[in-house]
């Protein structure tokens, strides 16, 4: 049912990729006069490795996947953009998104003049499989379905069975964004062995603590990765990022400990805020944030920001919802104290008018 060749854009199929100096001469040499670089070496005068091979080999070990199944992007946002550009014909094709979800799928599609079909999550934030299937069965314009799992901003994981079922019905690609996977129980990455039309996206921006370095990953079959690589800007990952991420992976125990700490903090925040009368609901979270429903979300947001604590107002997407990232213990303590004092202020105010 899925045929990769039939969904790649014609101009991408025909494209002859840019050939850099480093593509044209690989190997050892003493004098490099082929790339118009500065000869004065203060550490960064040479272009970065366009094939990112050392880092890719490291990531392939880390993720138990072949290096030719790894794409690296300037953040996963670049991967999202390139996937749309490789497979969606502007002013003709469309992507499917399942809101409430991460905003970049829609923004990237619109930048590329690609339409966006929304098939909202169900009330419990699970995928609406039936509606997706019905829609893709009589619609051939949909080239990509973006599924975010664990989902931002709702925090839940999408069922693997749903992902498998949808992928089997679909002649396009299902893109599963696992930006928060390091906080979750497991990844869908092993599904790549059985599902040819699957792309998994991950990032070093969240659990790995390197948002400022901009490194995102996409994993898929080697043919899909080959297509994305063909259209990427040649030097999309700078040398500092390649170097520092490599070092970080070599000390991944530090990150694992931090993930544990964040999970513990998350539990403790839940215990503390569930007792506040204005907290109506705390959604289960497989991420490093909590989506909570409160009475008076705008007031709470304002109150917290007046105390210098910034959370994310998500009321436009989920009724009365605020999204709170888990911080350091001390920061979380500040949050709890601010919420406590909000409660006191509210109580006093209400008594005044009682
Ligand atoms: C934060 C986030 C990303 C990360 O994007 P980067 O460009 O890698 O920093 C991707 N997807 C989702 C759902 C996110 O929340």
């Amino acid at each position: 049912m899925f045929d990769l060749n039939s969904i790649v854009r014609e101009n991408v199929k025909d494209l002859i990729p840019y050939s850099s100096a480093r593509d044209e001469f690989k190997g050892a040499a003493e004098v490099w006069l082929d790339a118009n670089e500065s000869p004065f070496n203060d550490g960064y005068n040479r272009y970065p490795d366009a094939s990112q091979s050392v880092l890719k080999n490291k990531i392939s070990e880390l993720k138990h996947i072949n290096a030719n199944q790894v794409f690296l992007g300037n953040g996963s946002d670049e991967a999202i953009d390139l996937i749309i550009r490789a497979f969606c014909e502007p002013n003709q094709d469309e992507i499917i998104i399942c809101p409430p979800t991460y905003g970049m799928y829609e923004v990237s599609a619109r930048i590329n003049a690609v339409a966006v079909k929304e098939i909202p999550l169900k009330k419990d934030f699970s995928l609406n499989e039936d509606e997706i299937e019905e829609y893709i069965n009589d619609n051939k314009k949909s080239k990509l379905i973006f599924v975010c799992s664990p989902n931002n901003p709702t925090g839940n994981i999408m069922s693997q069975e749903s992902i498998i079922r949808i992928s089997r019905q679909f002649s396009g690609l299902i893109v599963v964004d696992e930006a928060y996977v390091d906080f979750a129980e497991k990844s869908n990455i092993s599904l790549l062995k059985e599902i040819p039309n699957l792309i998994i996206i991950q990032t070093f921006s969240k659990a790995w603590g390197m948002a400022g370095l901009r490194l995102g990953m996409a994993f898929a079959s080697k043919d899909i990765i080959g297509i994305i690589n063909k259209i990427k800007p040649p030097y999309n990952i700078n040398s500092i990022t390649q170097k520092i991420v490599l070092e970080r992976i070599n000390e991944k125990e530090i990150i694992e400990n931090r993930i544990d700490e964040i999970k513990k903090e998350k539990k403790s925040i839940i215990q503390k805020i569930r007792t506040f009368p204005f907290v109506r609901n705390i959604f289960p979270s497989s991420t490093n944030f909590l989506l909570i429903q409160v009475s008076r979300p705008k007031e709470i947001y304002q109150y917290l920001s007046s105390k210098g604590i910034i959370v994310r107002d998500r009321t436009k997407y989920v009724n009365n919802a605020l999204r709170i990232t888990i911080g350091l213990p001390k920061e979380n303590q500040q949050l709890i104290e601010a919420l406590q004092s909000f409660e006191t202020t509210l109580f006093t105010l209400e008594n005044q008018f009682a």
Side-chain angles (χ1 to χ4, degrees):
M1 159 132 210
F2 165 70
D3 168 30
L4 180 60
N5 206 38
S6 75
I7 66 158
V8 182
R9 283 172 66 197
E10 287 304 323
N11 62 317
V12 171
K13 262 188 233 170
D14 297 343
L15 181 78
I16 299 164
Y18 177 72
S19 177
S20 71
R22 271 310 79 69
D23 291 321
E24 288 172 18
F25 180 88
K26 295 190 164 111
E30 237 174 88
V31 181
W32 296 98
L33 303 177
D34 59 348
N36 298 348
E37 296 153 333
S38 167
F40 302 103
N41 181 4
D42 38 24
Y44 302 106
N45 60 325
R46 299 294 175 188
Y47 278 100
D49 174 12
S51 64
Q52 303 129 7
S53 56
V54 179
L55 182 54
K56 268 188 194 165
N57 285 331
K58 192 79 199 172
I59 289 172
S60 96
E61 273 171 40
L62 180 73
K63 301 290 175 182
H64 309 290
I65 191 168
N66 288 324
N68 62 12
Q69 294 185 271
V70 179
F71 164 81
L72 298 182
N74 186 358
S76 20
D77 288 347
E78 185 179 43
I80 293 166
D81 176 67
L82 289 176
I83 292 165
I84 292 173
R85 280 201 273 159
F87 300 105
C88 300
E89 201 63 58
N91 301 309
Q92 176 184 314
D93 292 335
E94 68 174 24
I95 65 162
I96 295 174
I97 62 170
C98 307
T101 194
Y102 187 48
M104 277 309 289
Y105 317 133
E106 172 160 9
V107 171
S108 259
R110 297 211 182 280
I111 291 170
N112 290 300
V114 167
V116 177
K117 165 70 183 174
E118 293 191 357
I119 302 183
L121 297 173
K122 294 197 273 195
K123 261 215 163 81
D124 62 358
F125 298 143
S126 64
L127 289 170
N128 194 334
E129 268 175 55
D130 294 339
E131 206 184 316
I132 294 175
E133 278 182 21
E134 197 180 322
Y135 187 77
I136 57 185
N137 279 330
D138 51 35
N139 179 301
K140 296 302 155 213
K141 293 186 305 182
S142 315
K143 294 292 157 68
L144 304 170
I145 302 175
F146 282 91
V147 170
C148 190
S149 180
N151 188 38
N152 179 4
T154 60
N156 61 305
I157 290 179
M158 302 302 159
S159 110
Q160 200 166 65
E161 287 69 43
S162 305
I163 291 169
I164 296 172
R165 211 178 102 186
I166 293 165
S167 69
R168 297 221 164 108
Q169 307 281 320
F170 192 37
S171 56
L173 294 165
I174 177 158
V175 184
V176 179
D177 183 346
E178 296 190 334
Y180 298 95
V181 73
D182 306 287
F183 301 103
E185 292 302 310
K186 74 183 201 110
S187 163
N188 291 292
I189 203 165
S190 61
L191 289 183
L192 288 173
K193 287 199 196 84
E194 41 182 311
I195 307 180
N197 55 337
L198 175 67
I199 302 181
I200 306 273
I201 292 178
Q202 294 183 6
T203 181
F204 283 91
S205 293
K206 304 287 158 60
W208 285 87
M210 295 185 283
L213 289 178
R214 315 301 305 130
L215 192 72
M217 300 163 272
F219 308 113
S221 70
K222 93 176 189 318
D223 292 340
I224 293 173
I225 294 300
I227 291 160
I228 307 172
N229 273 332
K230 187 168 151 180
I231 64 168
K232 84 175 176 70
Y235 304 112
N236 62 330
I237 312 298
N238 71 67
S239 7
I240 305 179
T241 298
Q242 293 192 43
K243 177 171 167 279
I244 298 181
V245 174
L246 192 71
E247 288 167 5
R248 205 24 100 78
I249 297 173
N250 283 329
E251 42 183 49
K252 70 172 196 296
E253 295 70 29
I254 297 177
I255 301 303
E256 287 161 356
N257 290 335
R258 288 182 180 175
I259 291 169
D260 287 343
E261 189 172 347
I262 285 174
K263 285 182 182 167
K264 265 193 226 135
E265 280 296 304
K266 182 170 67 179
K267 269 201 196 135
S268 135
I269 294 176
I270 294 172
Q271 291 313 321
K272 287 172 185 154
I273 65 175
R274 64 198 293 176
T275 57
F276 292 128
F278 55 83
V279 174
R280 291 188 189 153
N281 184 20
I282 306 173
F283 291 102
S285 163
S286 302
T287 65
N288 65 334
F289 60 80
L290 287 170
L291 188 73
I292 66 173
Q293 283 176 306
V294 292
S295 42
R296 311 170 182 258
K298 301 276 176 197
E299 282 166 77
I300 294 176
Y301 180 88
Q302 284 304 332
Y303 186 81
L304 289 176
S305 69
S306 77
K307 302 263 168 199
I309 301 169
I310 312 303
V311 299
R312 199 85 189 265
D313 179 350
R314 297 284 86 176
T315 52
K316 260 205 287 185
Y317 310 101
V318 178
N319 282 339
N320 300 309
L322 298 176
R323 196 192 69 190
I324 304 174
T325 306
I326 313 302
L328 293 171
K330 179 172 139 269
E331 296 171 325
N332 303 331
Q333 191 51 37
Q334 272 175 272
L335 170 80
I336 307 288
E337 278 163 21
L339 289 173
Q340 238 144 17
S341 74
F342 174 80
E343 168 60 14
T344 317
T345 319
L346 201 66
F347 186 76
T348 323
L349 276 179
E350 274 172 359
N351 274 4
Q352 259 173 23
F353 295 108

